[in-house]
Amino acid sequence: MPTEYILYLFIFPSLSVGCHPGKKTAQQQDATRLHYRAVEGETFMLPCINSSPTVWSRTGEGGEEYKGHSFDCGKAFLAEAKHSGKYTDLTRSLLSSGSKLIFHLQVEKLSVGCYQPGEKSHVTLRLTAGGKLTCPGLKCSNNTDVLWYKGDKTKSCVDNGELQFKPVRERDGGVYFCDRRLREENITWTLRRAVSVTVTPRSSPSSPPTILNNSEPEEVELGLPYNLTCKVSFEYEEGFSPKVLWYMNYNGNTENTTLLPSEELHPQREILEELKIIQVSIIKKVTPQHLNHTYTCSTSNAVGNSSITIKLKRRNKAKWPCLVGHAVVSFLVVAGLGGIVHLKRLELEIIYRSYFQYGKHDTEKKQFDVFLSYAWSPLLADVTKSWTLSSRSGSFKNEEACQSITELFSTDDGEATQRPLEVLLPKVLEDQWGYRLCLLDRDMLPGGAYTNDVVLAIERSRMLICVLSADYLTNSNAVFVLESGIQALLQKRALKLLLIWTSGASGSLMEADPPLPTLVRKALRVLPSLKWSSSKPARSKSNFWGSLRKAMPNIDSEAGFSHAAPMIKLC
């Protein structure tokens, strides 16, 4: 609030009493017949009766209603001669409550009543100053009894028929109506005139523009664009076009300046007497040279000039955001690894026990070095029907073992031929390399509990080798041996498990009938394995036999069990 207005209220407090917007009131003329006069071409408003919404409908002399000639009370319109006539309160007629109200409207030219040249139907008032409105034609009569309205609200700050404003506020703009009573031929007429009010700020400012920026250095990043922004507040000045300019001062010298290109002004008028301007100048790419200069925002009005000078400084990269970013990334990595461990827990445990745990708990003497598991196909069963495994003849040196393996691949004619791996493995492991083998079809007596015999045989073996073929993966007994070996591995037992894939086995993995157990399917992907290809002759120095030899455990020469007995009852 301006200082002069506060002093004004302090010195003359009584003058401001009662000059507030009035409340909704009914017209004092409350009768069944109302007579109003209006000036043609002026704004007119039909009155509201008893503070209630009223709809006035045009009626003829016989009481018939004119279509399209209805007006809501409190709604202003431009009075024309055709609006003259009789109106009925349509709201009361529809509700059938009380007697009908008849409203007579007479629209005449400006000569109606008393008229003096120079009367104003439009008044401009200055904001925060005092002001008054005079009802047109008021001074031509001794009757100073005037009622003032704005909409359907009465205005109470009236002195000698003039509406007073102490002081003028922004909300005081609009259309006001003044009512005066005239008595003609025993009829009391209400002459309603309109006065339009426009509120404007003071014509000239009282102070220079105010720059809202502070003079602190502004942080920038090299290589990026930057906007120099200047915010200025102007007092209202009639006919004034504000200008805000940016200058660059070379090396801080205000006498050596260059005008910077600027964007269009962005005006923001929050209150009537104040205008805020935002002026932006864009530095397309900040370089180290820009840090050596200063920048001045300058503006002026009729009272004086205002300016502010700023400097740019290089922004130090915030450490906290980096730390937060590292923490978030670390959390996401840990969360991702945790999710992988949770989903792949079984596979990870099998990998750990297969590659890192074997041999750490192998202090117990075992009856067998290797439990060899395979499944005979019908064709192999016929070919090997007459073949019988001989007893172990002891271990050989590497050169002797290689020569012995070569002899297994040769026929009597000296031509190399390929024998099934299910036939070769027992002869190589037992006869040539000297390992104690456990074979289900040889070392278990018939009639026993198969599942118990398998579990006990695995417990008494240092290693389990499974020859995976298409027939193996569809054989429920063979799959049970593999599953039992995986479970023994997960139970922290000193067991080594090796898979040997034959040709055609991987293709039948997805087509196994019945489907393989979930534990087996997951373990097949991560267990140590070798691949045997029947299409190539297995020579003594082949990669397969060399890899198999490395994967085998050391021969336990101090075992307390003899392999001489051809049949052993396990349970």
Side-chain angles (χ1 to χ4, degrees):
M1 183 179 294
T3 305
E4 58 268 25
Y5 175 57
I6 297 176
L7 295 175
Y8 176 83
L9 294 180
F10 180 75
I11 298 172
F12 304 104
S14 61
L15 296 179
S16 62
V17 176
C19 295
H20 302 287
K23 298 181 179 179
K24 286 186 178 182
T25 59
Q27 294 282 336
Q28 294 183 358
Q29 191 178 170
D30 189 5
T32 58
R33 290 181 179 272
L34 304 176
H35 296 78
Y36 272 71
R37 284 181 178 176
V39 175
E40 186 178 7
E42 281 189 358
T43 302
F44 187 77
M45 181 186 69
L46 274 68
C48 296
I49 306 300
N50 295 331
S51 301
S52 60
T54 306
V55 179
W56 296 102
S57 178
R58 178 79 175 273
T59 57
E61 295 298 330
E64 67 277 5
E65 181 180 349
Y66 285 86
K67 293 183 179 180
H69 289 78
S70 297
F71 298 94
D72 294 332
C73 73
K75 185 176 181 180
F77 61 93
L78 196 64
E80 300 179 19
K82 65 179 181 180
H83 294 145
S84 298
K86 184 172 65 173
Y87 294 82
T88 303
D89 182 358
L90 185 60
T91 306
R92 292 195 178 192
S93 300
L94 293 175
L95 296 176
S96 299
S97 58
S99 58
K100 292 184 179 180
L101 287 179
I102 306 299
F103 178 84
H104 295 271
L105 176 61
Q106 184 177 343
V107 180
E108 299 181 354
K109 294 188 178 298
L110 194 58
S111 58
V112 63
C114 178
Y115 168 72
Q116 288 183 333
E119 289 180 342
K120 295 181 179 180
S121 60
H122 185 279
V123 177
T124 299
L125 300 179
R126 298 294 181 185
L127 193 66
T128 69
K132 63 182 180 180
L133 297 182
T134 301
C135 187
L138 175 64
K139 296 182 179 180
C140 296
S141 171
N142 293 328
N143 182 10
T144 59
D145 185 13
V146 179
L147 291 177
W148 283 91
Y149 295 87
K150 185 179 182 183
D152 57 351
K153 295 180 181 179
T154 59
K155 311 299 291 186
S156 58
C157 189
V158 180
D159 185 14
N160 292 326
E162 295 179 335
L163 181 61
Q164 306 291 323
F165 295 92
K166 302 177 181 180
V168 177
R169 296 187 175 94
E170 186 175 348
R171 64 172 180 265
D172 291 333
V175 179
Y176 292 80
F177 298 94
C178 59
D179 290 355
R180 288 189 300 116
R181 301 288 180 83
L182 300 175
R183 184 75 178 176
E184 293 182 0
E185 299 179 358
N186 295 326
I187 297 178
T188 300
W189 289 89
T190 298
L191 177 59
R192 172 162 286 190
R193 300 294 301 273
V195 180
S196 178
V197 175
T198 300
V199 178
T200 62
R202 290 174 295 185
S203 58
S204 61
S206 59
S207 61
T210 302
I211 298 179
L212 305 178
N213 299 60
N214 56 47
S215 57
E216 296 294 329
E218 299 184 8
E219 294 184 344
V220 296
E221 292 187 15
L222 297 181
L224 297 179
Y226 185 74
N227 294 345
L228 294 170
T229 303
C230 188
K231 299 180 181 179
V232 186
S233 175
F234 291 88
E235 291 184 12
Y236 178 82
E237 186 174 354
E238 191 172 0
F240 172 69
S241 298
K243 288 185 179 181
V244 181
L245 302 175
W246 273 105
Y247 294 92
M248 183 173 68
N249 310 314
Y250 289 94
N251 297 320
N253 186 2
T254 56
E255 296 181 357
N256 185 11
T257 63
T258 297
L259 179 64
L260 297 177
S262 301
E263 301 291 314
E264 293 184 2
L265 292 175
H266 302 283
Q268 297 177 351
R269 185 179 294 279
E270 297 180 355
I271 56 177
L272 186 61
E273 65 269 22
E274 183 182 18
L275 177 65
K276 290 184 178 180
I277 295 293
I278 298 178
Q279 180 63 281
V280 177
S281 179
I282 301 178
I283 300 177
K284 295 183 179 180
K285 184 178 180 180
V286 178
T287 63
Q289 287 74 18
H290 289 105
L291 305 181
N292 299 326
H293 309 319
T294 58
Y295 303 86
T296 300
C297 173
S298 178
T299 185
S300 63
N301 62 3
V303 178
N305 303 324
S306 297
S307 63
I308 188 174
T309 300
I310 63 170
K311 187 175 178 62
L312 304 180
K313 70 176 183 178
R314 187 172 182 176
R315 177 178 298 167
N316 294 325
K317 294 184 178 180
K319 295 182 179 180
W320 281 110
C322 295
L323 295 178
V324 172
H326 291 321
V328 171
V329 172
S330 300
F331 172 77
L332 294 177
V333 171
V334 172
L337 292 177
I340 294 174
V341 170
H342 178 73
L343 295 176
K344 302 295 183 180
R345 180 187 59 83
L346 180 61
E347 290 90 332
L348 293 175
E349 185 175 359
I350 292 175
I351 292 174
Y352 175 74
R353 298 195 182 282
S354 299
Y355 292 94
F356 304 102
Q357 280 290 97
Y358 175 73
K360 292 186 178 182
H361 307 286
D362 191 12
T363 58
E364 182 183 356
K365 300 299 181 178
K366 300 292 184 179
Q367 181 177 354
F368 300 103
D369 294 319
V370 178
F371 183 172
L372 183 60
S373 174
Y374 51 83
W376 291 108
S377 64
L379 179 60
L380 290 177
D382 293 339
V383 173
T384 60
K385 188 173 182 181
S386 59
W387 182 79
T388 304
L389 288 172
S390 60
S391 60
R392 178 171 59 91
S393 59
S395 60
F396 292 80
K397 296 182 180 180
N398 290 340
E399 293 80 0
E400 296 175 349
C402 292
Q403 184 177 0
S404 300
I405 294 173
T406 305
E407 294 174 355
L408 293 175
F409 292 99
S410 301
T411 60
D412 296 339
D413 299 333
E415 295 180 358
T417 184
Q418 182 63 57
R419 295 184 180 181
L421 184 62
E422 291 83 353
V423 176
L424 293 175
L425 268 179
K427 298 186 72 64
V428 172
L429 295 177
E430 194 168 44
D431 292 348
Q432 306 299 327
W433 290 353
Y435 287 100
R436 302 189 306 272
L437 290 188
C438 176
L439 303 176
L440 291 179
D441 53 357
R442 183 191 68 181
D443 296 328
M444 281 199 301
L445 292 173
Y450 179 80
T451 56
N452 294 336
D453 290 347
V454 169
V455 172
L456 187 57
I458 292 176
E459 290 179 354
R460 295 183 177 182
S461 301
R462 298 169 60 195
M463 183 177 185
L464 172 62
I465 297 178
C466 296
V467 181
L468 303 182
S469 61
D471 297 293
Y472 190 98
L473 298 176
T474 57
N475 189 309
S476 58
N477 290 336
V479 172
F480 174 76
V481 174
L482 175 58
E483 185 176 11
S484 300
I486 297 171
Q487 292 176 349
L489 180 67
L490 295 175
Q491 292 172 2
K492 301 181 180 180
R493 295 179 183 175
L495 178 71
K496 188 171 186 180
L497 208 159
L498 178 67
L499 306 179
I500 300 179
W501 293 86
T502 62
S503 56
S506 58
S508 61
L509 179 61
M510 303 301 297
E511 302 176 359
D513 187 19
L516 296 175
T518 303
L519 176 64
V520 174
R521 283 190 286 104
K522 291 184 177 182
L524 290 178
R525 293 196 291 263
V526 295
L527 281 172
S529 62
L530 298 175
K531 189 173 182 180
W532 169 267
S533 178
S534 58
S535 60
K536 297 180 181 180
R539 299 300 181 182
S540 59
K541 293 183 180 181
S542 66
N543 292 334
F544 172 79
W545 294 107
S547 300
L548 178 60
R549 193 69 178 91
K550 293 178 182 179
M552 297 300 295
N554 296 328
I555 297 178
D556 187 5
S557 59
E558 299 179 359
F561 297 91
S562 174
H563 186 67
M567 303 294 288
I568 299 175
K569 178 65 176 177
L570 296 176
C571 58

